[in-house]
């Protein structure tokens, strides 16, 4: 199955929150929506889950959608089991079906030893895992996860990705938001948003081709307008391909492409 | 290079639990040291000990050649995880307050007159930086300074850190975000209170591998690999297996009759970190 969003536009109290957003969501894939504060990531999640009606555009989405809102999505004064039970009851799971899914989720999340602990007493990483487990429990056709790995340490983050991969390989389609570009690169498809508009959309390979000209690395601060710091060195993007002095050419990664496109959109160099 | 911070064999216990276990680290002029570790690895405890905010059981801490004291702390800029700003005051009021404490000069330019708790997260982070750096400290201690900000704000915050350091300061930065490690000159990895690895990014990842699996039967391959208790995650259209070797992966796939190609590829810092932490 393929689900889609076309020419999405959202205005909230007269302010443009999203515009020109298109998505094609194929079954069994992960799409990462990446962007900073106010880029429109959460607005897009709310539209996909039916919590917010778009101003215009068309949506073709499945009947069952799981959702993890930003900030975990569990109830702090319920235990791990009660949180999951609540989701199971809302989906009218039989006791037997619930027990089976609960067992699978405990195995996938390693939350078993904490099953009777209140969610408010879980560590940040465990709480995020619970939130993702709640979104995935009903085996939705589409799961929308809003920043599932923010504030999560690297060990829990890889475990969350294993949980996400497990769900994707059983046919669920996932849309997740993140502020981490290395994580976005892990997803098959990436939508980068800036101020509500798409900066780039496609697979990693497709996005890599969006940058014309050439990318350079240099140790001395360059004078070119499209420059930024990367580690201890500077990056320079020259749209016409010319080389700045004492620079070596590089193949751009996702971080480079999105930074360069963002600079081109804003037409200003980053402060030195 | 002058050493700004020296921590040697620091031990901090909370009753029976050892939070920091003989950890040592140094920060010199002109360098950014990244302190990486899972939650509970002891990063924040170590920072609180070196700032003199927490007593420790044994070991030695030296800031600019002195043990932590009020005088030497005037030359330290600290951004704690919780920002360290008064959220019910405006940014301007926060900066005024700091200026009185540190006797630092007024900051030029327009200062935000909104309350800190009314600002978007990225601007709160920037305000915390401005407040911590206003007195031109020689030592910067930044505890998850970029947590929750977007990629472009993050790049700007790193610009600020690198600019201070190229003027002779030294910085200690904790992060969960391992792709920020490239901004650090040196990295210190902590697990269970101990320093388990340190060195430059290229030193830490050199020779370490993960296994990348290319197959048309992704879903079955994932099931077989996780059944064999291998940590396996999606990577674009492929799968990546952490802490495994290619023969092992090939064996598991062929036992299940799954056609595919397993290749050893250079591990990311994340993957090295997970392998190190679980050893």
């Amino acid at each position: 199955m393929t689900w889609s969003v076309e020419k999405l536009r959202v205005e909230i109290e007269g302010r443009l929150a999203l515009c020109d957003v298109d998505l094609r969501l194929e079954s069994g894939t992960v799409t990462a929506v990446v962007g900073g504060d106010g880029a429109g990531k959460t607005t897009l999640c709310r539209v996909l889950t039916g919590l917010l009606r778009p101003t215009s555009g068309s949506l073709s989405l499945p009947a069952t959608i799981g959702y993890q809102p930003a900030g975990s999505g569990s109830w702090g004064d319920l235990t791990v089991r009660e949180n999951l039970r609540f989701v199971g009851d809302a989906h009218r799971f039989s006791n037997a079906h619930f027990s089976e899914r609960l067992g699978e989720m405990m195995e996938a999340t390693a939350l078993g030893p904490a099953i009777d602990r209140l969610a408010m007493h879980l560590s940040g990483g465990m709480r995020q895992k619970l939130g993702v487990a709640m979104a995935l429990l009903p085996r939705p056709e589409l799961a929308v996860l809003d920043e599932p790995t923010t504030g999560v340490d690297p060990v829990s983050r890889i475990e969350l990705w294993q949980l996400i991969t497990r769900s994707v390989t059983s046919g669920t389609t996932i849309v997740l938001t993140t502020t981490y570009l290395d994580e976005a690169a892990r997803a098959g498809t990436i939508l980068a948003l800036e101020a509500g508009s798409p900066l780039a959309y496609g697979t990693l390979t497709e996005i890599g081709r969006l940058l014309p000209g050439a990318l350079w690395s240099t140790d001395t601060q360059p004078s070119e307008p499209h420059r930024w710091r990367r580690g201890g060195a500077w990056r320079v993007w020259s749209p016409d391909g010319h080389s700045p002095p004492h620079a070596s050419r590089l193949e751009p990664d996702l971080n480079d492409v999105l930074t360069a496109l963002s600079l081109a959109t804003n037409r200003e160099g980053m402060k030195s | 290079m002058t050493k700004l911070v020296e921590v040697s064999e620091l031990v901090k216990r909370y009753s029976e639990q050892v939070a920091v276990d003989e950890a040592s680290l140094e920060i010199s002029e002109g360098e950014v040291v990244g302190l990486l570790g899972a939650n509970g690895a002891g990063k924040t405890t170590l920072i609180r000990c070196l700032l003199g905010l927490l007593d420790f059981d044994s070991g030695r801490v030296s800031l600019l050649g002195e043990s932590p004291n009020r005088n030497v702390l005037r030359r330290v800029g600290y951004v704690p995880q919780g920002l360290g700003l008064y959220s019910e005051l405006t940014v301007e009021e926060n900066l005024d307050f700091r200026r009185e404490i540190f006797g630092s000069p007024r900051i030029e330019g327009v200062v935000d007159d909104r309350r800190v708790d009314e600002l978007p997260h990225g601007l709160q982070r920037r305000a915390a930086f401005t407040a911590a750096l206003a007195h031109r400290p020689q030592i910067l201690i930044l505890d998850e300074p970029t947590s929750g900000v977007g990629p472009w704000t993050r790049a700007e915050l790193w610009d600020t850190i690198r600019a201070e350091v190229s003027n002779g300061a030294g910085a200690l930065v904790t992060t969960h975000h391992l792709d920020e490690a490239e901004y650090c000159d040196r990295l210190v990895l902590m697990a269970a209170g101990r320093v388990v690895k340190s060195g430059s990014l290229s030193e830490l990842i050199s020779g370490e591998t993960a296994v990348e699996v290319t197959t048309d039967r992704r879903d079955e391959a994932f099931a077989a690999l996780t059944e064999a208790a291998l940590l396996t995650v999606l990577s674009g259209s492929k799968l990546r297996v952490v802490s495994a070797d290619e023969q092992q992966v090939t064996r598991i796939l062929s036992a299940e009759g799954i056609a595919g190609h397993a290749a050893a590829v250079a591990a990311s810092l994340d993957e090295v970190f997970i392998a190190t932490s679980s050893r």
Side-chain angles (χ1 to χ4, degrees):
Chain A
M1 278 307 288
T2 301
W3 314 104
S4 67
V5 168
E6 279 170 33
K7 292 204 164 42
L8 190 67
R9 181 183 179 88
V10 179
E11 290 168 23
I12 300 171
E13 293 170 0
R15 194 182 57 87
L16 191 59
L18 278 179
C19 86
D20 291 332
V21 173
D22 293 312
L23 282 177
R24 261 177 67 84
L25 308 171
E26 304 209 16
S27 152
T29 63
V30 181
T31 300
V33 181
V34 62
D37 274 348
K41 303 190 299 295
T42 295
T43 303
L44 180 57
C45 289
R46 291 171 57 79
V47 171
L48 291 175
T49 50
L51 292 169
L52 188 66
R53 192 197 297 265
T55 311
S56 62
S58 62
L59 299 169
S60 143
L61 295 171
T64 56
I65 299 177
Y67 178 40
Q68 180 194 24
S72 128
S74 55
W75 284 275
D77 46 5
L78 296 184
T79 66
V80 170
R81 187 199 305 272
E82 287 165 348
N83 267 291
L84 289 162
R85 177 90 227 185
F86 185 89
V87 176
D89 286 350
H91 287 268
R92 302 194 180 157
F93 277 22
S94 67
N95 282 335
H97 187 199
F98 176 71
S99 300
E100 186 198 325
R101 284 298 284 155
L102 183 68
E104 287 168 11
M105 281 299 170
M106 289 302 107
E107 197 199 319
T109 56
L111 281 173
I115 193 164
D116 291 316
R117 203 183 297 173
L118 292 180
M120 68 169 87
H121 294 152
L122 298 175
S123 70
M126 289 165 98
R127 229 181 138 169
Q128 290 288 3
K129 273 194 251 179
L130 173 59
V132 173
M134 288 166 69
L136 298 178
L137 185 83
R139 288 192 198 281
E141 289 164 278
L142 170 67
V144 178
L145 312 175
D146 198 359
E147 298 208 15
T149 64
T150 292
V152 170
D153 72 50
V155 176
S156 298
R157 190 155 68 219
I158 202 108
E159 288 168 354
L160 269 169
W161 267 95
Q162 177 154 273
L163 180 61
I164 287 166
T165 308
R166 183 183 298 262
S167 158
V168 164
T169 56
S170 337
T172 294
T173 304
I174 289 188
V175 174
L176 61 85
T177 70
T178 179
T179 62
Y180 300 149
L181 297 176
D182 55 342
E183 189 161 81
R186 208 178 263 295
T189 310
I190 300 144
L191 169 66
L193 288 177
E194 185 163 87
S197 297
L199 192 60
Y201 177 53
T203 62
L204 199 54
T205 321
E206 287 163 353
I207 289 180
R209 292 196 206 105
L210 292 176
L211 201 64
L215 183 79
W216 308 87
S217 171
T218 172
D219 289 332
T220 48
Q221 183 170 345
S223 56
E224 278 74 7
H226 297 118
R227 64 167 192 269
W228 62 96
R229 219 188 274 266
R230 189 78 193 269
W234 291 85
R235 291 280 208 271
V236 177
W237 168 50
S238 48
D240 58 5
H242 89 272
S243 166
H246 317 294
S248 51
R249 190 165 176 170
L250 284 181
E251 275 307 306
D253 64 14
L254 182 64
N255 191 332
D256 293 321
V257 175
L258 296 182
T259 306
L261 292 175
S262 171
L263 289 176
T265 310
N266 297 318
R267 291 191 184 172
E268 58 169 46
M270 215 167 259
K271 288 189 297 283
S272 56
Chain B
M1 273 192 304
T2 315
K3 281 182 188 140
L4 302 175
V5 176
E6 285 182 86
V7 175
S8 47
E9 301 188 344
L10 187 87
V11 176
K12 171 67 190 174
R13 290 189 197 91
Y14 291 110
S15 59
E16 287 306 292
Q17 204 191 346
V18 186
V20 177
D21 192 2
E22 294 186 10
S24 302
L25 66 83
E26 292 177 353
I27 307 164
S28 299
E29 239 174 59
E31 71 169 356
V32 180
V33 177
L35 182 59
L36 311 175
N39 289 324
K43 304 185 301 286
T44 299
T45 303
L46 176 68
I47 284 179
R48 294 177 60 81
C49 290
L50 86 80
L51 289 171
L53 297 172
L54 203 58
D55 288 333
F56 46 91
D57 294 281
S58 64
R60 211 174 65 84
V61 171
S62 145
L63 298 176
L64 304 166
E66 300 175 34
S67 48
N69 62 62
R70 284 178 68 156
N71 206 30
V72 78
L73 287 174
R74 283 179 188 278
R75 294 153 79 184
V76 175
Y78 173 43
V79 179
Q81 270 182 43
L83 291 174
L85 299 173
Y86 293 97
S87 58
E88 64 276 28
L89 298 183
T90 67
V91 175
E92 191 171 14
E93 288 163 343
N94 269 286
L95 293 178
D96 284 346
F97 178 70
R98 293 279 189 133
R99 201 170 58 233
E100 294 210 3
I101 293 175
F102 287 105
S104 47
R106 180 173 280 278
I107 294 160
E108 288 164 36
V110 183
V111 177
D112 213 307
D113 60 359
R114 280 177 290 176
R115 279 169 57 136
V116 169
D117 54 9
E118 287 169 353
L119 295 177
H121 193 74
L123 286 182
Q124 289 185 358
R125 287 274 159 200
R126 260 183 253 184
F129 261 59
T130 310
L133 302 183
H135 61 290
R136 304 310 302 262
Q138 269 175 288
I139 301 171
L140 311 182
I141 308 287
L142 312 171
D143 199 359
E144 294 188 28
T146 63
S147 164
V149 306
W152 297 281
T153 306
R154 190 181 303 136
E156 277 186 7
L157 292 176
W158 274 102
D159 251 17
T160 310
I161 298 172
R162 292 293 331 183
E164 292 294 323
V165 166
S166 56
N167 290 331
L172 181 70
V173 182
T174 74
T175 175
H176 277 331
H177 184 30
L178 300 192
D179 82 3
E180 287 185 332
E182 66 174 331
Y183 291 99
C184 303
D185 301 298
R186 235 155 24 80
L187 300 167
V188 174
L189 261 57
M190 281 186 85
R194 303 189 72 94
V195 170
V196 290
K197 246 181 175 189
S198 64
S200 67
L201 175 58
S202 54
E203 284 163 5
L204 291 191
I205 61 177
S206 120
E208 303 278 351
T209 56
V211 178
E212 198 164 69
V213 178
T214 313
T215 171
D216 292 336
R217 293 166 64 189
R218 179 194 72 176
D219 301 356
E220 293 153 274
F222 174 79
L225 292 165
T226 49
E227 187 63 32
L230 294 179
L231 189 50
T232 307
V233 292
L234 201 63
S235 176
S237 58
K238 300 174 181 172
L239 293 172
R240 255 177 111 101
V241 191
V242 184
S243 315
D245 66 68
E246 52 191 307
Q247 283 88 357
Q248 188 186 9
V249 170
T250 306
R251 214 162 39 236
I252 293 166
L253 294 180
S254 57
E256 295 292 321
I258 299 167
H261 178 63
V265 291
S268 68
L269 182 60
D270 259 82
E271 289 161 342
V272 171
F273 179 83
I274 285 150
T276 311
S277 310
S278 56
R279 247 170 229 157

